[in-house]
Amino acid sequence: MRQHLDACRQKGQRIGLVPTMGALHAGHASLVRRSVAENDVTVVSVFLNPTQFNDKSDLERYPRTLEADCALLEQCGAQVVFAPSVEEVYPEPDMRVFSYPPTDSVMEGAFRPGHFNGVCQVVSKLFMFAEPDRAYFGEKDFQQIAVIRRMVEDLELPVEIVPCPVIREESGLAMSSRNTLLTPEERVLAANIYRILHESTMLHQSVGATHDYVVQAIDAIDGLQVQYYNIVDGKTLADVSSWDEADDIVGCITVFCGHTPIRLIDHIRYK
Ligand code: PAF
């Protein structure tokens, strides 16, 4: 891949990278299509990164669908699929530590210790392997983009981070590889998450009351349980207590759905 991309760079071609963990869906396809439109060469990495899973059972049940992924990537016009083995990416255990508090220590960082360290380990390696001009990430993982931006600033990497909007199913459920683990009944339940988040934007109440509305309405549905709901400054990810505290305010939620249970994340922009 390096040789191929070096030759592309020598011809003056711009390289777009779409990092993924596979089990691709329409959300990933939208990132790939955007990269194809904006760059000469699009590389998609398909790598289920073990270092970002603090819960090994989550890693074991993560869907693996490489053949179908390649077919979708070809349809979307990606030129290169990079699907390395764990040994290729980590010939030795990665001992590097990335720490960008509070961005990586709140919300997902607090509930999944080590998760963002693993994300930074793999994304920094992918950036070193592919040396992309641009890298595309879905806004569904809102906090992940903030952490990656901090890492890019910190390491002074010459890559433009391109955030892309969440793609939703017709029901409003944010597309996620984990949705395939939901039963049809759980999918119906899960659609309530975005419905309630969206309703909360129309309440026009205080931050505290809006927070409580979302948590109570979701917890009242049998089969859903909120792990956290934080209403934060969209840039620093610090909690806000009033609507005039920041220009960009986002509610970030994680909900357990069903019996397994499957952990789903989503967010809504208030301003
Ligand atoms: O968002 C994901 O799928 C992963 O966290 C990423 C960015 C591909 C790193 O493994």
Side-chain angles (χ1 to χ4, degrees):
M1 181 191 65
R2 272 194 166 131
Q3 279 170 4
H4 177 72
L5 295 182
D6 281 348
C8 296
R9 255 186 298 274
Q10 270 160 23
K11 286 187 251 167
Q13 294 184 330
R14 308 272 287 170
I15 295 164
L17 171 70
V18 184
T20 81
M21 296 201 298
L24 304 183
H25 49 69
H28 295 107
S30 75
L31 308 185
V32 176
R33 291 207 168 92
R34 175 133 177 222
S35 172
V36 168
E38 294 179 353
N39 301 281
D40 302 299
V41 182
T42 290
V43 183
V44 181
S45 60
V46 178
F47 178 63
L48 191 49
N49 173 38
T51 72
Q52 71 188 74
F53 285 82
N54 60 316
D55 173 357
K56 293 302 161 205
S57 62
D58 190 19
L59 172 62
E60 272 152 31
R61 63 171 179 251
Y62 204 89
R64 290 160 170 85
T65 58
L66 186 59
E67 226 173 283
D69 293 346
C70 290
L72 178 70
L73 293 174
E74 203 169 344
Q75 265 179 33
C76 297
Q79 288 87 353
V80 181
V81 178
F82 177 55
S85 65
V86 173
E87 292 71 28
E88 267 179 295
V89 176
Y90 299 112
E92 295 293 332
D94 194 335
M95 304 309 284
R96 293 173 303 156
V97 176
F98 298 83
S99 175
Y100 303 116
T103 319
D104 65 347
S105 57
V106 295
M107 301 191 288
E108 290 301 283
F111 285 97
R112 300 179 69 189
H115 168 65
F116 287 123
N117 196 53
V119 169
C120 288
Q121 287 175 338
V122 76
V123 172
S124 61
K125 282 199 180 229
L126 293 170
F127 286 175
M128 289 189 283
F129 297 154
E131 295 182 51
D133 296 284
R134 300 191 182 94
Y136 295 77
F137 294 91
E139 275 188 330
K140 184 185 144 286
D141 296 303
F142 185 78
Q143 187 175 6
Q144 172 170 273
I145 296 185
V147 173
I148 290 171
R149 280 191 194 285
R150 288 282 296 109
M151 180 191 74
V152 165
E153 268 168 26
D154 178 39
L155 303 181
E156 300 184 40
L157 299 175
V159 55
E160 182 190 339
I161 302 301
V162 185
C164 303
V166 182
I167 305 293
R168 297 186 178 279
E169 295 185 2
E170 223 171 283
S171 66
L173 176 63
M175 289 211 182
S176 161
S177 305
R178 287 191 172 83
N179 292 356
T180 59
L181 303 173
L182 298 169
T183 64
E185 295 74 28
E186 288 168 348
R187 254 175 201 253
V188 173
L189 278 183
N192 286 296
I193 301 169
Y194 184 66
R195 177 181 64 74
I196 292 166
L197 286 176
H198 187 254
E199 271 170 20
S200 78
T201 63
M202 295 180 281
L203 291 178
H204 305 294
Q205 289 184 10
S206 67
V207 170
T210 305
H211 169 275
D212 293 351
Y213 170 80
V214 168
V215 175
Q216 283 161 16
I218 294 180
D219 280 348
I221 297 170
D222 200 22
L224 295 184
Q225 195 184 6
V226 176
Q227 186 176 40
Y228 66 80
Y229 185 51
N230 287 22
I231 300 182
V232 301
D233 178 325
K235 291 197 181 65
T236 63
L237 305 190
D239 282 347
V240 296
S241 49
S242 76
W243 298 118
D244 50 18
E245 219 169 290
D247 296 334
D248 180 11
I249 297 188
V250 178
C252 298
I253 197 159
T254 290
V255 178
F256 289 111
C257 178
H259 296 295
T260 312
I262 304 301
R263 198 171 174 275
L264 300 172
I265 69 173
D266 204 345
H267 70 277
I268 190 99
R269 190 168 290 279
Y270 288 104
K271 65 186 270 215

